[in-house]
């Protein structure tokens, strides 16, 4: 049976919960979990300083959002994550393109890349602080290093996923390597590349916060440590909520760009997550 076509009336199609039940399930699960958390904490006799209730976390979040210093910390972490993500993405695109196209480069550099990936990144953070100082540079490098490898693997796999028949057809018609790359390999790799970017932007935020844990004077990671030192558990949860929201916004921005660029494909498989 062929699906019915919606007539073009100039209006956006209505979202039917029967076709997309997650539109109701996602907020319903959130409300149920929050209500259970709110009433279970006092019912079980858990002290508020150990596990604050959602209402207390919301109050702490409101207090932080009203503080201009909080927005300064947020701006610092956001810039560190963005710069680190862009640096890691640029390196992943250049090196991934070289590795996928030249076998000698792959055999020469890939073992070192894999070996570097096996090193715990948290162990590198103190070195970056020593080398680049307590400022933003060490956090940017940390964010770039953590986000680099997932994006690199997706770039390599994406460029290798191109249809061999299409490549051969272009070569028969006299296309050069750059034309094959631009017309076949790169379009085929875009879904993989965006999947890697989706992972990389979240890892970049993680890297910036990890760098701030080791040594910083500002940023959400620094603020998280301060609330921990003051035993402000509700404030810690509030910072975590902001970090989660930051990651979600970054994720949806990448997905939005992906839908606009790779509108022909719904493939969002990620390699190396």
């Amino acid at each position: 049976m062929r699906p019915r076509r919606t007539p073009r009336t100039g209006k956006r199609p209505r979202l039917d919960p029967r076709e997309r039940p997650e539109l109701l399930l996602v907020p319903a699960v959130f409300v149920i979990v929050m209500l259970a958390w709110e009433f279970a904490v006092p019912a079980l006799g858990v002290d508020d300083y150990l596990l604050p209730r959602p209402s207390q976390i919301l109050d702490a979040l409101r207090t932080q959002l009203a503080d201009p210093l909080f927005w300064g910390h947020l701006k610092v972490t956001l810039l560190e994550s963005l710069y680190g993500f862009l640096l890691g993405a640029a390196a992943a695109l250049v090196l991934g393109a070289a590795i996928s196209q030249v076998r000698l480069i792959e055999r020469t550099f890939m073992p070192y890349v894999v070996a570097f990936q096996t090193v715990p990144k948290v162990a590198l953070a103190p070195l970056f602080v020593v080398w680049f100082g307590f400022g933003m540079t060490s956090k940017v490098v940390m964010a770039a290093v953590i986000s680099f490898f997932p994006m690199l693997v997706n770039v390599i796999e994406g460029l290798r996923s191109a249809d061999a028949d299409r490549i051969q057809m272009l070569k028969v018609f006299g296309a050069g390597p750059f034309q094959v790359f631009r017309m076949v390999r790169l379009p085929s790799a875009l879904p993989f590349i965006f999947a890697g970017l989706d992972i990389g932007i979240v890892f970049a935020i993680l890297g910036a916060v990890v760098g701030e844990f080791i040594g910083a004077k500002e940023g959400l990671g620094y603020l998280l440590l301060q609330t921990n030192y003051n035993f402000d558990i509700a404030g810690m949860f509030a910072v975590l909520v902001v970090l989660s929201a930051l990651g979600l916004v970054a994720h949806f921005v990448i997905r939005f760009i992906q839908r606009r660029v790779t509108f022909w494909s719904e493939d969002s498989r990620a390699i190396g997550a």
Side-chain angles (χ1 to χ4, degrees), residues 158 185-195 258 261-262 264:
R185 294 191 184 276
L186 184 58
S188 300
L190 282 177
F192 287 85
I193 293 175
F194 274 102
Q258 179 182 5
V261 175
T262 62
W264 69 87

Side-chain angles (χ1 to χ4, degrees), residues 81-121:
S81 304
L82 180 60
Y83 292 156
F85 168 72
L86 293 177
L87 180 61
L93 289 172
V94 173
L95 185 59
I99 289 176
S100 65
Q101 301 302 305
V102 182
R103 182 69 64 178
L104 180 60
I105 295 179
E106 177 187 8
R107 294 177 178 177
T108 303
F109 290 99
M110 200 60 185
Y112 295 102
V113 173
V114 175
F116 181 74
Q117 176 62 18
T118 60
V119 178
K121 302 304 179 292

Side-chain angles (χ1 to χ4, degrees), residues 65-216:
L65 294 178
D67 187 358
L69 292 177
F70 172 81
W71 293 101
H73 291 304
L74 177 61
K75 178 182 178 181
V76 169
T77 300
L78 184 61
L79 290 177
E80 292 169 350
S81 304
L82 180 60
Y83 292 156
F85 168 72
L86 293 177
L87 180 61
L93 289 172
V94 173
L95 185 59
I99 289 176
S100 65
Q101 301 302 305
V102 182
R103 182 69 64 178
L104 180 60
I105 295 179
E106 177 187 8
R107 294 177 178 177
T108 303
F109 290 99
M110 200 60 185
Y112 295 102
V113 173
V114 175
F116 181 74
Q117 176 62 18
T118 60
V119 178
K121 302 304 179 292
V122 178
L124 296 175
L127 290 176
F128 292 157
V129 172
V130 172
W131 292 341
F132 302 106
F134 287 90
M136 184 180 293
T137 304
S138 59
K139 318 308 181 298
V140 171
V141 174
M142 189 68 192
V145 168
I146 288 184
S147 62
F148 166 73
F149 191 76
M151 294 188 287
L152 173 68
V153 175
N154 277 275
V155 170
I156 294 173
E157 294 298 325
L159 291 174
R160 289 176 174 174
S161 67
D163 188 2
D165 293 336
R166 295 175 60 188
I167 294 175
Q168 186 63 31
M169 181 184 68
L170 284 178
K171 290 181 177 180
V172 169
F173 284 99
F178 179 75
Q179 291 175 309
V180 171
F181 180 86
R182 179 176 60 86
M183 300 175 66
V184 179
R185 294 191 184 276
L186 184 58
S188 300
L190 282 177
F192 287 85
I193 293 175
F194 274 102
L197 294 177
D198 195 4
I199 300 173
I201 188 63
V202 177
F203 279 14
I205 298 174
L206 173 63
V209 173
V210 168
E212 291 168 354
F213 281 165
I214 303 301

